Amino acid sequence: MCDKKEASKRYTGKNILAPMVRIGTLPSRLLALKYGADLAYCEELIDFRFAECHRVENPILGTVDFLQDKDSRPMFQTCSEERDKVVLQIGTADAQRALQVAKLVENDVSGIDVNMGCPKEYSTKGGMGAALLRNPEKVKEILTTLVKGVSIPVTCKIRLLPKLEETIELVKLIESTGVVAIGVHGRLKEERPRHPVHSNMIKKIAETVSIPVIANGGSDDIIKQYKDIERFKQLTGASSVMIARSAQWNMSVFRKEGLLSTDDVVKDYLKYAIKYNNHFINCKFCIQEILRDKQESPMGKQLRSSSSLREICCIWGMEEEYDAAEKRRNELRVKLGLVDDKSLEPDAKRIKRSDIVEMNFQIKRCEYDLKKNKTPKTILYEYTLKEELKPPFYTTECRSTDRHFQSIVTVNGKKYKTTSWERNKKLAEQSAAIVCLRTLGIDDGRMAPIDRKVPSQSTTRPKFVKLSSTT
Ligand code: FNR
């Protein structure tokens, strides 16, 4: 168990980068810390997936990677630069599994947080996220198991319940488990970011408990730049402030000296992305969030059509930095005997690898209307017509061991594929088309369930509604 008094100090008077799916990866966290954040939470990691990971030290990047299998991208990646400042957030509904995950990362992170605020159905239907707010017994079990079982500080992040008294009751229960601090997102489960944050409710909570309260929910309305953080702190009476959206849009919100321009922030972000060879799709997403309403600017359009990290670096004139980092990594690979140097000399291998955009996902038939004329393949075909490009060209491989298929689609000289294998050729081609569309930032026609009220016993299939490609 950790020294609670000492640990609580680490959550007092601090400015913290909030957990954010897809945003909270290594380059963003390092950027927040560079600009002045005291702690940085990673994106939420779901316990049963994370429990399958292996810890691997990556000598090329100098990182610690948690991998599901040896060829996959890390589910969580960290490094010594953030060792004392990174907090791992878990999505869980099971105390023992949460402990298993916490033990796995205990020596590589500075704290563990349990997400009790996620309102999304994928989280709540498994009893995780905001579902925990209505399950105090489970909350107690998870938090006490973690507090007893790991040597680093444990915290949790909640939303408000409709009545102040019930929120206070929950918060007192949480305090009694021995957590060192509590994050409070000042909105109800049903409220969206556009709804005003209930600073007064956070204040009531802060007055009730003796552990530090980390106020969250002030982006946009209240916090736009560094000097606003203090105002939110005063409004909520909290010890610390946690920032999500304002940081996602401009990480220099943590900078005492004030905001930096979008270009400066993107360039600083890219330095970390290059250093840690961050995944291209993740970089693209994070930079699109920074560009925000500049998506239609010349740089925004170039970003949309980029298909590798190097191409993104070119947009901001950083290709030399990228090439130098790649060269250093390749030399290190050779030095460590991880690759034969002949394969690197003609550059061919490198080009071949970065030439194909790969995504790791499996197409779900129910999410796409594959019978009508708005399939990903048709959307892609229409796109090539509109842009006056050659029609998409598909090549498909069949794996002899299980007769599964994988396709590569070529559009405008670039190749796109998934890492997964499909049961038939048609699905494999649709998957490749989806990778291409998503990379180009075009809506791939994916649908999502709208009928949240389908009774659990019902055999009726939920209806589906069209989603934008970024959701
Ligand atoms: C979030 N949020 C969130 N919260 C959490 O506990 N775990 C998570 O993984 C995520 N993921 C996430 C992704 C994105 C893109 C956004 C915008 C938000 C919620 C977030 O941490 C925060 O509670 C809210 O955004 C409110 O804080 P701000 O944005 O007002 O500072």
Side-chain angles (χ1 to χ4, degrees):
M1 225 192 285
C2 71
D3 177 345
K4 211 179 137 195
K5 241 187 187 163
E6 271 309 302
S8 282
K9 282 190 201 153
R10 300 183 45 223
Y11 294 85
T12 307
K14 305 295 189 225
N15 297 329
I16 302 172
L17 176 67
M20 275 182 284
V21 169
R22 290 191 283 185
I23 303 289
T25 43
L26 184 60
S28 302
R29 298 196 303 266
L30 292 174
L31 189 61
L33 297 173
K34 172 190 163 76
Y35 287 151
D38 301 291
L39 290 173
Y41 281 51
C42 76
E43 61 180 332
E44 177 192 45
L45 298 165
I46 303 298
D47 62 357
F48 53 83
R49 285 199 211 118
F50 197 64
E52 289 172 4
C53 285
H54 303 279
R55 181 187 182 281
V56 177
E57 288 184 19
N58 182 332
I60 306 297
L61 298 175
T63 53
V64 174
D65 299 350
F66 290 85
L67 310 169
Q68 263 182 318
D69 60 67
K70 75 176 179 29
D71 295 323
S72 62
R73 281 259 155 198
M75 193 171 282
F76 175 61
Q77 184 170 52
T78 184
C79 65
S80 55
E81 262 183 271
E82 63 168 6
R83 167 67 187 79
D84 299 322
K85 294 181 170 181
V86 60
V87 176
L88 183 113
Q89 189 189 61
I90 334 177
T92 186
D94 184 290
Q96 288 311 318
R97 221 168 26 225
L99 182 61
Q100 188 188 343
V101 166
K103 293 300 264 180
L104 190 64
V105 289
E106 190 175 13
N107 296 321
D108 296 301
V109 299
S110 77
I112 299 286
D113 184 75
V114 177
N115 187 1
M116 301 189 177
C118 182
K120 300 268 168 63
E121 204 188 37
Y122 65 74
S123 188
T124 54
K125 77 177 177 210
M128 295 182 284
L132 287 169
L133 301 174
R134 292 290 184 194
N135 194 348
E137 282 308 309
K138 186 61 82 186
V139 168
K140 195 169 168 189
E141 192 195 344
I142 293 173
L143 294 179
T144 46
T145 304
L146 285 173
V147 169
K148 278 193 200 133
V150 291
S151 56
I152 52 176
V154 176
T155 57
C156 69
K157 177 165 172 276
I158 63 163
R159 279 185 179 237
L160 303 171
L161 287 164
K163 290 192 191 135
L164 175 64
E165 311 82 71
E166 45 187 6
T167 315
I168 298 280
E169 206 177 310
L170 176 73
V171 165
K172 280 188 175 162
L173 176 132
I174 289 172
E175 184 180 24
S176 75
T177 64
V179 296
V180 301
I182 177 167
V184 183
H185 177 188
R187 289 188 181 84
L188 301 172
K189 185 181 115 196
E190 298 71 25
E191 288 179 320
R192 302 277 69 89
R194 65 176 184 280
H195 295 114
V197 58
H198 303 286
S199 302
N200 57 337
M201 294 277 272
I202 303 181
K203 192 161 198 209
K204 293 262 167 32
I205 294 169
E207 284 163 2
T208 308
V209 290
S210 56
I211 52 173
V213 167
I214 306 163
N216 171 242
S219 287
D220 218 12
D221 294 2
I222 302 167
I223 304 171
K224 290 184 173 29
Q225 53 181 311
Y226 183 85
K227 64 179 168 55
D228 306 325
I229 299 177
E230 190 53 36
R231 205 176 124 233
F232 189 50
K233 210 161 139 193
Q234 279 173 9
L235 282 171
T236 56
S239 306
S240 295
V241 169
M242 176 182 265
I243 308 175
R245 287 163 301 145
S246 291
Q248 169 188 10
W249 300 323
N250 190 330
M251 204 59 90
S252 65
V253 67
F254 289 110
R255 213 172 152 264
K256 269 196 186 83
E257 301 80 9
L259 288 179
L260 293 172
S261 70
T262 303
D263 265 359
D264 285 344
V265 175
V266 173
K267 282 184 187 163
D268 282 345
Y269 172 86
L270 279 174
K271 281 181 198 154
Y272 288 117
I274 292 170
K275 183 169 177 191
Y276 292 104
N277 199 18
N278 195 45
H279 192 239
F280 150 69
I281 301 288
N282 182 255
C283 290
K284 187 170 179 174
F285 180 79
C286 292
I287 298 174
Q288 278 176 330
E289 292 302 315
I290 301 172
L291 292 189
R292 245 186 132 184
D293 55 0
K294 300 191 183 95
Q295 307 292 330
E296 292 308 318
S297 67
M299 279 172 149
K301 284 184 179 163
Q302 284 178 61
L303 178 66
R304 196 154 64 211
S305 61
S306 64
S307 56
S308 68
L309 178 54
R310 191 179 188 283
E311 277 183 37
I312 300 182
C313 291
C314 289
I315 306 172
W316 275 273
M318 292 177 68
E319 62 276 22
E320 281 178 18
E321 269 123 307
Y322 177 88
D323 290 341
E326 262 294 273
K327 188 162 175 265
R328 269 197 307 276
R329 282 195 281 269
N330 281 334
E331 284 166 359
L332 199 53
R333 278 183 198 112
V334 173
K335 201 168 149 199
L336 296 174
L338 299 174
V339 70
D340 146 23
D341 60 350
K342 282 194 202 97
S343 63
L344 297 171
E345 272 164 17
D347 249 10
K349 194 160 183 172
R350 175 147 49 103
I351 289 164
K352 232 182 201 164
R353 249 186 286 131
S354 61
D355 192 33
I356 300 190
V357 178
E358 277 185 277
M359 270 187 205
N360 181 10
F361 83 100
Q362 190 103 39
I363 185 170
K364 290 197 186 100
R365 297 176 79 131
C366 61
E367 289 184 352
Y368 291 89
D369 197 347
L370 297 179
K371 292 205 179 99
K372 298 240 172 87
N373 58 359
K374 274 291 168 201
T375 67
K377 272 183 77 179
T378 348
I379 297 171
L380 186 58
Y381 178 69
E382 283 167 5
Y383 164 79
T384 54
L385 279 185
K386 195 173 127 235
E387 298 292 322
E388 297 178 359
L389 300 169
K390 275 193 203 153
F393 177 72
Y394 294 86
T395 52
T396 303
E397 191 186 333
C398 175
R399 193 162 58 184
S400 58
T401 46
D402 57 2
R403 289 205 51 77
H404 274 48
F405 297 81
Q406 194 175 55
S407 293
I408 296 177
V409 62
T410 307
V411 172
N412 200 16
K414 284 177 195 144
K415 294 180 166 49
Y416 306 83
K417 70 187 269 271
T418 60
T419 50
S420 61
W421 293 73
E422 304 294 347
R423 266 172 299 137
N424 59 49
K425 184 169 172 251
K426 269 187 196 158
L427 277 182
E429 289 182 349
Q430 296 291 4
S431 297
I434 292 168
V435 174
C436 177
L437 289 166
R438 287 190 186 177
T439 308
L440 298 174
I442 301 167
D443 187 340
D444 61 9
R446 183 176 154 226
M447 331 260 268
I450 45 168
D451 192 355
R452 306 274 185 227
K453 289 188 191 119
V454 175
S456 54
Q457 302 297 320
S458 164
T459 51
T460 333
R461 272 186 62 197
K463 288 179 194 146
F464 284 79
V465 68
K466 210 158 170 298
L467 267 186
S468 86
S469 58
T470 51
T471 50

